[in-house]
Every structure is written in structure tokens, then in C-alpha cells.
Amino acid sequence: MPRLTPESLTFVAVPGTVSAPQTLTLRNLGETTLVISGIDTNDPAFALVRGRRPPCGNTLAPGSTCAVDVVFAPTAAGVHQAALLLSTDLPYRTIEVPLTGTGVRPRLEFNPPAADGLAFPVTRIGHQSPPRTVTLRNPGPTVPLTLTDVVAGDDFLIVRTGCAPCPRSLAPGQSCDVDMVFRPRMPGLRTGVLVVESDAEGGRQWLGLTGEGVAEPELTAVPASLSFGPQPVGTSGAPQWIELTNTGRAALLLSGASFTGAHAADFTFADQDGRPDIRAELKPEQSTRVQVAFRPVDLGQRTAELLLVTNEPGPAPGIPVSGVGVAAPAVVLDPTSVDFGSQAVGTPSPPATVTLRNNSPAPVGIRTTEVTGDDDFDVTPPPGQPVPAGGTFPVAVTFTPAALGSRSAVLAMTDAHGLRYEVPLSGNGSGALVSFEPAALDFGARPPGGTDRRDLTIRNTGNARLIVNSLHTTGDFVNGPGCVGGVRPGDECMVRVLFRPTGGGLRTGELIVTSNAVGGPHRLPLSGTGLVPGIGITPGALNFGAQDVGSESPPQTVTVSGPGSAALDITGVSLTGADSGDFRLRDGCGGRGRLLPGQRCVIEVTFVPTAPGQRTAVLTVTHDAAGSPHTIPLSGEGRAGVV
């Protein structure tokens, strides 16, 4: 007799997947060969597969065994009750083995729970909050969870994930973590979602994300500290510059500054125009410059801190400054170098004074005063005369940069003994430069009334902010708005230009950019071709001569051609006039047809006089070319028949 073990099978699987196979063993416990006539299931969710053990064939010898492998492949969640049916040649013929299968969707849990969402702390625009962790967990208890994608966007960023790479399988009870930050781009309440794609029940699931962005000013100083090195006591070296930029998203108010520390009196500051004060309102991304000078009053290391008064939240920002006071020589130059900082190309700076101080007991005669190096520096020395002991020799220096970039020279004063006293001079020519990409715009060919648009890039290749004052075009070209708010060095902006030809042939114009850039205004050549239709009609008149009344003449033809650069639209072909009924036409131009450039069509006209005498009419062709409508006079003579 046959026996199937185990006595039943139980499966669990995710809808759309196939479970691992389970094996039923069939043993022939009888003394004769068992004939197997069929093995099947009564539910298509269960299927037979070939396993590793020998499968059951048509017969099974006494004492032998064979295997039946079964899998469960549900298409939906729910419980399936079925049976494996084994048909044999025995009297009771069919053996049934109960099969139970449950289609189960995995579940996904968020921590924090999806119902609560994840809230981030208030964060300044452009800054990043501390990371927060979201845990994704498969609570089980039976099937694995497959994650196919985990994404966020807008103001919420995934900075680290333990759920990658996807697809990622989580066994029952297993979890993975996603670390997120809030980086607001705009002020106010910001919302987003963490979206998880998986095979969990319900498919796509998400966790709500919230945070508040605040627009606050933020001061960034470059460099963040200053070191002046050695400087003779009682003299000033070249000032050093600090660029202060508002890197926040709200207006920054600079309302003053002061030095603190043990040697605060050794340092002075001035704004970029040389005023001994720092007051400015900086919009986001705007900058100003501050110069700091060091004039030690004693020997040794000298330190202080420049404190800036702003409306930035928190304590007043400080910039450490330091220098070393050293003993003064017999002849002292004050300052020992001059840096004019940035100066607009072509404009003179305020004068700076270099003073030669004679600390020796004898007069010092200055023979020559000159500048060597770049020609951007001019000097105005006092009248030549010896500098008495304890006296001074002041020289005024101005800087008028002729080009962008670093400019340098040396102010040299030579005394009567040939000793040379040198003061390095430096400055930076600043300004915006405009370059176009492409260098010219050619729109190709367009018909009148048509429009073509092209985008143009304006790039600031200079070292100062480009301020575009106006954009305008000439000719058949129109520009859109663009480049509003200024363009930082190295950045670019886009302008859209439209071409609307008002006539035929080559059309030219310019895009004119008026700005603060060096060499302005800047002009970009614009060109395009206007396509216009043309018309040719031959002959200019038709004369049919004498024709018997009531008879039809041989046809005569009018040829219409399109010699223009655009398609010719024929909008009407008609006969008019007192005797229009005496003429007939066969319109080969379609009445309302179109001729491409170079094409032609033919209109046939016949004369059928209805009365004797001179008969006239007009053939009229209307079209969209210049000179419409065109008229062709028609004439003929009606001849009375011979009686």
C-alpha cells in the first residue's frame, strides 16, 4: 500500500513570489508494483516542481520511495485550502494530502512612527541641522521585507543610510537606519517626505518631514585673522585688508567696530573708503572691505582683537590681529609698504603718504624720487631740500590702475650719498569684464511674423561684481529680461533673444549691454534671414481674338510661379467684369493652394462669347505676397454666325 509523508503541508509566501519547495515522500509498503496514474493539485496557487530527489514516475516498485515537490505561489493575500491528489491503481485509487497556503504581505514600520512624522529644529537658511535618524523595520513575523528605494528631496537630505544598496532585504525583526538633515532654502515652515518603495502591504509609504527655515544675517571674514610681522616702533606698515561678506539670507547691519586686548592702541581700522568707521548694510552675498594698520608703540609681541558690531545673532564676531614691534633705524620709512587694495580700473585712488623720517643727528639730502615698475602709480614729492635731524620728507602716491589684476611698483628715494630707500607699492585693478557665449547669434531663416528664440550666456570674467544697467536690441530682435541683481566674478547669467523678421533678406542688429564692466557698452552681433514669398504671373493679359458666338475657343494659359524665399499662399482665383460669363477657367492652382519656392501652377482660360462685339473681363489672383491682388485683363470679340 502507498503512504505519503508528511500528512499535510503548510506554506507562507508573499503575493507575487514563489515559496521554497516542500517535499512529500511516497513509499510503496505493498508487495506489488504501484501504478501511479496522476499527481496534481486542485488549486493553481500550488504547483509541482522537480526537486533534488528522484521524482515519482508511472510506477513504484515494492519498498521503493519517490519524491513530490510542491511550491506555493499566491497572487494575492489570503488563505488557500487545497489538496495534493495522487491517483493510483488501488481500489480507493486517490490519496489526498491537505495543502494550506497563506499569502502574506510584509509590513514596514517607521521609527519615529509615520503618524508622528519627523520634526527638525529651527535652522538658518543655507545651513544644515544636526542629523536625525529614521529606522525602517520589518516587524515580521513570517516573511522578509524588500526595500527597492529610499529617497527624500527638497530641503531634506539623506546624509547616511544603512538601507543601501537597494534592493535591500530585511528579515523579520531586522531594521536599518537612515540619517537625515534639514537644509532649508527658504524661510518659514518647510515640509517634505521620506519615501520608501517596498513590497510591504500598501506599497509606497512615507514619513512626513517638517522644519522651519529662518533668514538671518551671517558675517564671514576673509582672512579670519591678521599677522603683521615685525614693524619698527612708531611706524606703520602697509595696511592689510579683510573682506566682510554677508553669507546669510537677511540684511546684515554693520554698526561699528573696536579693538580690545592688551595692545588695542597699536592697531587702527578704516572702511574701504579710508574713513575711520565701519558702517554698512549688506544684503545677502554683498561684501565690504576693512583695512587694518599696525603701528607698535613698544617692542615685542603685540596682540588685539577687532570686534565688529552687527545684528547677527549671538556674540559679536572677533578677528584676532597681531604684530611684533622692533627697534627703529636711523632713517625710517612710514609706512614701509603701501597696498592700495582694489581700485576700479581707470579711476585714481585717494593719495597715500609715504614719509621718510630722519632719526639721525645730521641732515639727509634727498637727490631723486622715482617709481619703477608698473606705470599705474604717480608720486608727488616735496621740493628738494635736505631733511633736518628729526625732520620728515612726505611723498604723496596715487594709484590709477590701467588693467585688471595685481599691479606693483617700487617708490625709491636716493640720498646725496647714493643710499636708496625703497617702499613697495601694490594694488589691484578691479572691475567686471563681459564675455558672450556664443560670440554672435545667427538665427537662420524665418518667415515674416514668425519667431525664433535663442539663449545667450553673459559671463563675468573680471574680478568685481558685474552690474547690468540695461539690455536692449536693435533691428528685428527683441531681448527678454535677464542678469538682474548682479553677477559675481566667474558666474554667468542668461538672456533670451527673439528674432521676428519684418522683411526679407539678411536682417542684422545688436544686443547692447550697458553695465559697470570695463570697456562698455558691450555689443553682440545678431543676424537672421527673413523669408518672404514672391509671385510671378505671365502673361500679363490674354486676347482671344474673334470667336463665333456660342463656340469655345482653344484654351490660353496663365502661369503663376513662386520666385520668393518663402512659400506663396494663393488665397483666391476668380473672374470679374461686365462679361465675366463669356470666359471660363480651369484653376490648376487649387484656388487656395501653396507654392513652394521655385514651384509653379497653371490656370487655363477659354472664351465662349454670348453676344457679338467686344467682350472683356478680369482674371484676379489673390495671394500673400506683395502687390496682391494681381489682375490679368481678358478680351475677345464675339463674331456673329453666318446665316
Side-chain angles (χ1 to χ4, degrees), residues 397-419:
V397 186
T398 58
F399 173 47
T400 307
L404 295 181
S406 178
R407 316 296 289 170
S408 62
V410 173
L411 168 64
M413 292 171 277
T414 305
D415 67 14
H417 302 288
L419 294 178

Side-chain angles (χ1 to χ4, degrees), residues 338-352 371 373-380 396-409 425-430:
V338 178
D339 181 3
F340 287 87
S342 290
Q343 183 68 26
V345 171
T347 62
S349 71
V371 173
D374 292 333
D375 294 334
D376 305 58
F377 302 89
D378 295 313
V379 298
T380 306
V397 186
T398 58
F399 173 47
T400 307
L404 295 181
S406 178
R407 316 296 289 170
S408 62
L425 308 176
S426 61
N428 188 67
S430 69

Side-chain angles (χ1 to χ4, degrees), residues 252-433:
L252 175 71
L253 300 179
L254 287 167
S255 54
S258 61
F259 284 103
T260 64
H263 310 117
D266 292 37
F267 300 90
T268 57
F269 64 82
D271 65 11
Q272 58 187 7
D273 296 322
R275 295 185 294 256
D277 197 2
I278 302 177
R279 295 185 183 275
E281 179 178 349
L282 302 180
K283 296 178 181 179
E285 301 303 322
Q286 282 190 333
S287 300
T288 188
R289 301 173 74 239
V290 175
Q291 56 178 327
V292 178
F294 174 47
R295 186 184 181 90
V297 299
D298 205 348
L299 301 175
Q301 184 72 29
R302 317 296 286 176
T303 60
E305 186 174 28
L306 175 62
L307 295 182
L308 301 171
V309 181
T310 73
N311 63 332
E312 183 181 6
I319 302 172
V321 294
S322 63
V324 179
V326 296
V331 174
V332 174
L333 296 172
D334 185 17
T336 54
S337 63
V338 178
D339 181 3
F340 287 87
S342 290
Q343 183 68 26
V345 171
T347 62
S349 71
T353 300
V354 175
T355 301
L356 182 146
R357 179 177 293 107
N358 181 11
N359 291 335
S360 68
V364 174
I366 301 300
R367 189 173 61 192
T368 61
T369 301
E370 60 182 350
V371 173
T372 59
D374 292 333
D375 294 334
D376 305 58
F377 302 89
D378 295 313
V379 298
T380 306
Q385 58 184 3
V387 183
T392 60
F393 183 80
V395 178
V397 186
T398 58
F399 173 47
T400 307
L404 295 181
S406 178
R407 316 296 289 170
S408 62
V410 173
L411 168 64
M413 292 171 277
T414 305
D415 67 14
H417 302 288
L419 294 178
R420 185 178 173 92
Y421 308 100
E422 296 183 346
V423 177
L425 308 176
S426 61
N428 188 67
S430 69
L433 286 179

Side-chain angles (χ1 to χ4, degrees), residues 459-543:
R459 182 172 288 110
N460 180 7
T461 57
N463 58 10
R465 193 177 187 88
L466 170 66
I467 305 298
V468 176
N469 299 319
S470 68
L471 298 168
H472 71 277
T473 52
T474 62
D476 293 348
F477 304 88
V478 179
N479 64 276
C483 303
V484 177
V487 182
R488 290 182 296 183
D491 283 355
E492 59 190 35
C493 60
M494 186 190 76
V495 177
R496 176 160 291 179
V497 181
L498 306 182
F499 173 44
R500 295 174 178 165
T502 59
L506 179 63
R507 318 297 290 177
T508 60
E510 291 180 317
L511 171 68
I512 303 173
V513 180
T514 304
S515 69
N516 66 332
V518 177
H522 294 81
R523 302 172 183 268
L524 176 79
L526 306 172
S527 62
T529 301
L531 300 178
V532 294
I535 188 168
I537 296 181
T538 57
L542 296 179
N543 187 343

Side-chain angles (χ1 to χ4, degrees), residues 46-217:
F46 299 91
L48 306 182
V49 295
R50 180 177 293 275
R52 295 182 179 178
R53 295 174 56 187
C56 295
N58 295 329
T59 61
L60 185 62
S64 298
T65 61
C66 64
V68 179
D69 289 311
V70 184
V71 295
F72 175 51
T75 59
V79 177
H80 292 252
Q81 298 287 350
L84 176 82
L85 306 177
L86 174 67
S87 302
T88 71
D89 60 344
L90 295 177
Y92 44 85
R93 300 187 61 83
T94 301
I95 301 173
E96 294 188 10
V97 176
L99 303 176
T100 302
T102 304
V104 178
R105 287 282 186 190
R107 292 187 300 131
L108 170 65
E109 285 185 352
F110 290 95
N111 186 20
D116 297 341
L118 180 62
F120 288 84
V122 174
T123 304
R124 285 194 292 179
I125 295 174
H127 285 251
Q128 189 168 288
S129 71
R132 298 288 303 273
T133 299
V134 178
T135 299
L136 308 180
R137 180 175 178 270
N138 177 7
T142 54
V143 293
L145 168 68
T146 300
L147 305 176
T148 56
D149 201 7
V150 181
V151 295
D154 296 328
D155 297 332
F156 303 90
L157 307 176
I158 296 175
V159 295
R160 190 194 68 82
T161 176
C163 302
C166 289
R168 167 71 187 278
S169 180
L170 296 180
Q174 192 177 9
S175 63
C176 61
D177 291 338
V178 178
D179 288 344
M180 305 191 65
V181 296
F182 173 46
R183 188 170 186 176
R185 297 175 297 173
M186 298 288 288
L189 179 64
R190 312 296 291 169
T191 60
V193 290
L194 174 68
V195 180
V196 180
E197 302 278 3
S198 73
D199 61 349
E201 184 177 1
R204 174 184 296 175
Q205 298 187 39
W206 54 81
L207 177 71
L209 309 172
T210 59
E212 183 181 352
V214 293
E216 293 181 347

Side-chain angles (χ1 to χ4, degrees), residues 2 52 76 86 202 276 320 376 420 434 436 448 457 499 570 576 586 609 611 626-627:
R52 295 182 179 178
L86 174 67
D376 305 58
R420 185 178 173 92
V434 165
F436 297 110
T457 298
F499 173 44
I570 299 174
T576 60
R586 182 180 295 109

